[in-house]
Structure formats: C-alpha cells, structure tokens
Amino acid sequence: MRLTPENIEEIKVRFAKMETVEELAQLLSWVYALKFPKRSKKTTIIIEIKHLNYYAFKSANRYKQFTIKKKSGGERPISAPRYKLKTIQKCINEILNAVFTPHFTATGFVPRKSIVDNAKVHIGKQFVFNTDLKDFFPSTEFRRIKTVLGLAPFYLTDANEINSNTEKKKTSEQKGKGYLGYLIANLCCDNGCLPQGAPTSPTLTNLVCQRLDKKLYKFAKSINATYSRYADDITFSSNKPVFNESFKKKIIDIIEVQEKFKINFEKERLQEGSERQSVTGIIVNRKSNVDRKYLKDVRFWLMCWKKFGTDATQQKFLTQFPEKKGFLRYGGVTPQFYNYLYGKILFLGMVRGAKDEIFLKQKMSFDELYSAVNSPKNHSNHISTPSNSALSLLELLQTWEKKGIETAIKQYGI
C-alpha cells in the first residue's frame, strides 16, 4: 500500500525525534502497519529490537543466492533477502524515501519517476552519450552507507560513535544515534556491501551518489549538455560535439578518481542523430518510443492468443518467461501470460502516450480477447481452441526463432 503525504510527514517528524533502537523498532512497526495492513492485523508488533539485532548481525542464511541471465550474456549474481529481513528492509526503504530526496538528475528507483522520465530529457538531441558504472551495488561499501547516514538529512551520528570502547559496552537500548546508522547499514548490507536484490539497495545508492550527481550535473551544464542517471546507467546529451577526449578524461576524474566508482567502458557508446538513439531502453530520436522488438513481442503474443487460445499460449509462455527480465520480479513464479502482456501494453502507453494510436490499438485487441476469456458463456474460462493448438504454436515459435517474426506471421497466417 502506498503511503499518503500525511504518512510521509509523520515519518519525517518521528525520524527526527528518534534516539534509540526501541524508537527505530516502533517506527518500523508503524510503517509496517501502514504498508501491509492485511498482514499487520495478525500481529500487533511485527518488528522488535531482537529482530533488528538478529538480522543486522547474523552472518549466515540472511540471503538466498542465485543468478539470472543478463541481456548482454553471462549471469548476474543475486542476493535476495529472506522474507523477514526483506520485510524490515521494505519498511526501512519507506523511511529513507520519506526523509531523503535524491538529486533531481537521479531517476532510478525514485518515487514517481521512471525510465521514461530519465529518457525524456534527452529527446531530440544531436548527440547522446551513454556509459555505465561497473559492479554498482557491490562497489557501494558498508563504510559509505554508514557515512552518508551520518550526514544530512539523516544525522545518524553522535560524539562517541560506535568505535569507542565505552560505546561498545552499552546495550543496544543505551546507544545513541550513531549506533542507529550502524544498525541500519548492517541491516541493508551483506558481506560489507549492498546486495543486488535487496529493496533498500537502489535507494541507498542514490544517497551515496548525491555528490556524484551534483558534480556531473555541474560539469554537463558547463559544456551545454544534459545529464541524468538511472541507477548505474549514466547519460549525457547535447546538440554540440562535446563528447571528445577532454570530456572522457573529466568524467573519469569525477567518477573514478574523486567518487571511487568504476566505469564499465565496454558499455560506453556515442549515438548521433542519424542513427537510432536509446536511453535506458527508450528510443529518444524524436519522441519517447519503444524499440521494434518490444512492439513485435506485444503483437506476437496477442496474435498467438487470438489464433491458438489461452491454454496453448500459456503453456509456451511457461517455458519462455524464465528467460525474461521480469521473472525475478514475480519471485520465480510465472504469471498468467495475459497479466504480463497487459503490463507491457500499459508500459507502451506510458512511453508513447495515453492517446497514441498504436497503444490504443494494442489495448483494444487485448480488451477484446480478455473479455472473451472472462465471458459468462465461456464456462471453461479459456477461448476454445483446436486440439493441436499447442503443437501448432510450438512450430510457429520455432519458425520465429529460426527465420524471424515476419516469416512466422506469413507462414501461419496470423
């Protein structure tokens, strides 16, 4: 459940007054009740001091380790927090977002901002330069998290800090604000850095990158360029040919020398207006748009649904969805293909606009098919299909993979 503006203001007030671990636990429990009202009815206080200390300092079995395939090839290691820790982190994340506002050039994992917002500022530029921060989460270390939590607007620090022997001997209830920053950093880090898979990691990187964003924005302004960052994706654009060796030396100095991040030079690219320009997957040449492959994918599954029916389409979707980026978002469970498809169509509308003809056409096709599935006359809850529909769909998909979608569409008459 999304918090109201009144909830957010209350979090700010309570956080500013917070002095002890007990008060932190109370604030987290209050946020939990707001964010998960159905769950919170079962337990009056879900987050206690013992829970915070346990998940902050228990070294084993806090995270589930696995890998997902990268779009560019290879595998990405994921550290997904266990259920209880993930719940605590989600509540911490709500507090962080209530208290902290990222630099306006940061668009990744910022409330009410998206990759579309990140891309729109670069529309219609003659030159678009993209680069990437290497090992973004693993390179964001515990000490950096602890340090920034001690600064504005959090101020989780005190004169003694956790390093003094006197402070270490105190119980968690007796320790001051410095310990709260230390505790939160431990709750959000794994093996001394931010884990890829924790709900708090993106927000904390925005916190750590405040100074980086300010420096890169100031530099971009000095050369008549536009700057934005979506998580580890960094983009500059300009109507002037400013992306020369001097430019590259300057961003290396800011990113690597001054701010201690690493640039992934393999993902560096300069796109001119005469070619297709994309920013975080959004085409930005004349207006924000999806690429052709995205739109073909939407059309393909709509046509398969219409020709082969719900059951056969879902069967094939079960085999293909684990290869898609969205698989992790669903917790390793494959959703109904039409729910996933509807999300893609809504994203198409967000990128191209709610009145766009292509979006409206795909949505109308979806609505017609979905209405047929849920029609009271259709007691089996699926569109009736030929008995060999699953086999026909498999053959169609094999043709698509080998010869392309246009050939598949012509061959199977869809």
Side-chain angles (χ1 to χ4, degrees), residues 252-286:
I252 289 172
D253 177 59
I254 293 173
I255 295 172
E256 297 199 336
V257 179
Q258 297 181 35
E259 295 303 317
K260 310 302 180 186
F261 286 104
K262 293 292 183 183
I263 297 174
N264 188 348
F265 293 102
E266 293 180 0
K267 292 189 176 181
E268 182 181 294
R269 68 190 192 278
L270 177 62
Q271 305 165 94
E272 297 187 14
S274 58
E275 59 185 307
R276 190 184 71 173
Q277 299 170 317
S278 67
V279 176
T280 49
I282 306 295
I283 309 303
V284 295
N285 290 73
R286 294 182 180 178

Side-chain angles (χ1 to χ4, degrees), residues 12 16 62 80 95 143 148 165 188 220-221 233 238 244 285 322 390-391 408:
K12 291 180 181 179
R62 296 195 305 162
I95 295 171
R143 61 177 181 81
V148 294
N165 291 328
C188 299
K221 195 173 181 180
D233 289 307
S238 179
N244 49 30
N285 290 73
L391 179 60

Side-chain angles (χ1 to χ4, degrees), residues 80-219:
R82 301 289 180 178
Y83 177 78
K84 185 78 174 189
L85 177 58
K86 187 175 183 179
T87 299
I88 293 171
Q89 289 176 342
K90 283 182 177 180
C91 294
I92 291 174
N93 200 51
E94 291 291 346
I95 295 171
L96 295 175
N97 281 317
V99 177
F100 165 67
T101 301
H103 192 267
F104 72 92
T105 58
T107 57
F109 307 99
V110 177
R112 293 171 293 281
K113 285 189 178 182
S114 68
I115 59 173
V116 179
D117 297 297
N118 184 66
K120 280 183 176 179
V121 297
H122 304 288
I123 291 174
K125 298 295 179 67
Q126 185 61 34
F127 302 95
V128 176
F129 177 87
N130 300 94
T131 191
D132 185 276
L133 298 180
K134 190 174 183 180
D135 300 325
F136 190 45
F137 292 136
S139 64
T140 308
E141 300 170 341
F142 170 86
R143 61 177 181 81
R144 300 181 78 168
I145 302 302
K146 173 64 177 69
T147 299
V148 294
L149 287 174
L151 304 174
F154 298 100
Y155 301 109
L156 295 181
T157 186
D158 53 45
N160 296 322
E161 275 295 344
I162 189 63
N163 296 320
S164 70
N165 291 328
T166 303
E167 192 74 2
K168 287 180 180 179
K169 291 177 182 178
K170 293 180 180 179
T171 65
S172 60
E173 292 86 348
Q174 295 172 322
K175 292 170 183 174
K177 281 196 169 186
Y179 182 76
L180 295 180
Y182 178 74
L183 182 64
I184 291 172
N186 273 287
L187 284 165
C188 299
C189 289
D190 184 42
N191 294 321
C193 63
L194 291 179
Q196 178 129 1
T200 44
S201 292
T203 302
L204 287 169
T205 53
N206 283 337
L207 182 58
V208 171
C209 286
Q210 286 179 93
R211 195 167 60 183
L212 172 68
D213 290 331
K214 289 176 182 177
K215 289 180 179 180
L216 290 178
Y217 167 72
K218 185 177 179 180
F219 170 58

Side-chain angles (χ1 to χ4, degrees), residues 187-348:
L187 284 165
C188 299
C189 289
D190 184 42
N191 294 321
C193 63
L194 291 179
Q196 178 129 1
T200 44
S201 292
T203 302
L204 287 169
T205 53
N206 283 337
L207 182 58
V208 171
C209 286
Q210 286 179 93
R211 195 167 60 183
L212 172 68
D213 290 331
K214 289 176 182 177
K215 289 180 179 180
L216 290 178
Y217 167 72
K218 185 177 179 180
F219 170 58
K221 195 173 181 180
S222 71
I223 60 171
N224 294 313
T226 300
Y227 161 76
S228 71
R229 179 180 60 82
Y230 188 92
D232 56 350
D233 289 307
I234 287 177
T235 305
F236 291 87
S237 63
S238 179
N239 287 320
K240 297 182 178 180
V242 297
F243 303 112
N244 49 30
E245 287 303 313
S246 175
F247 165 81
K248 291 182 180 181
K249 287 180 181 179
K250 183 62 178 179
I251 65 168
I252 289 172
D253 177 59
I254 293 173
I255 295 172
E256 297 199 336
V257 179
Q258 297 181 35
E259 295 303 317
K260 310 302 180 186
F261 286 104
K262 293 292 183 183
I263 297 174
N264 188 348
F265 293 102
E266 293 180 0
K267 292 189 176 181
E268 182 181 294
R269 68 190 192 278
L270 177 62
Q271 305 165 94
E272 297 187 14
S274 58
E275 59 185 307
R276 190 184 71 173
Q277 299 170 317
S278 67
V279 176
T280 49
I282 306 295
I283 309 303
V284 295
N285 290 73
R286 294 182 180 178
K287 69 174 199 174
S288 58
N289 198 3
V290 297
D291 61 24
R292 292 179 181 177
K293 185 178 179 181
Y294 186 99
L295 189 55
K296 283 181 179 180
D297 191 51
V298 169
R299 286 171 171 165
F300 178 82
W301 288 107
L302 282 171
M303 288 186 284
C304 286
W305 192 8
K306 183 176 181 180
K307 186 173 180 66
F308 299 109
T310 303
D311 291 345
T313 306
Q314 180 66 24
Q315 286 177 25
K316 188 58 186 178
F317 187 73
L318 285 170
T319 65
Q320 291 207 341
F321 186 70
E323 304 296 321
K324 297 179 181 291
K325 289 178 69 176
F327 184 61
L328 179 63
R329 211 176 304 135
Y330 288 87
V333 177
T334 302
Q336 290 292 328
F337 79 90
Y338 47 75
N339 291 335
Y340 178 79
L341 180 58
Y342 188 58
K344 294 201 72 169
I345 292 172
L346 289 182
F347 180 76
L348 177 65

